[in-house]
Amino acid sequence: MAFFSVTSSELRNRAERLSDLNSRFKSLSEAEWNIMESLWEESPKVGSRIVADMAAKTGWSRSTTLTMLKRMTEKKLIACGDGDKVKEYFPLVERETAVRKETESFLKRVYHGSVSMLVSGFVEKKKLTPQE
């Protein structure tokens, strides 16, 4: 893993960009989730490690994973830096942001935005314990 030398000004700029990206972020496709999970687990991560992760998790070929990495970089979901002769990737969207957006989307799509409908749906299907 390469060591990145970053000034406080560069770090502040990255934090501002990350905040802006998180506020404009919509949602991830299932394929994008797979790669983001790999990067949220550990980052930065070299492309060959992501390729291995995706081969094990999804059965994707090297070219499929590299295409996804390129597209996700273009969409500004992830960023790519040059490490020691290899490309290193890191997420630009925080996991918490992605989870929140996915939850909001699910709630709107399935329960018309009603939290009470969601909760009653779970309660009807599963008996609550005294602790719950």
Side-chain angles (χ1 to χ4, degrees), residues 14-64:
R14 286 182 186 180
E16 288 170 3
R17 281 195 329 255
L18 182 60
S19 176
D20 183 51
L21 286 167
N22 283 319
S23 67
R24 290 185 289 120
F25 172 71
K26 298 215 185 312
S27 66
L28 297 171
S29 69
E30 183 177 346
E32 290 167 341
W33 267 101
N34 288 324
I35 289 182
M36 294 301 282
E37 287 288 354
S38 174
L39 290 172
W40 287 324
E41 184 180 293
E42 177 189 340
S43 67
K45 190 178 274 190
V46 296
S48 60
R49 293 258 330 270
I50 300 169
V51 167
D53 287 353
M54 294 305 101
K57 184 175 182 176
T58 66
W60 290 353
S61 68
R62 178 180 182 275
S63 63
T64 299

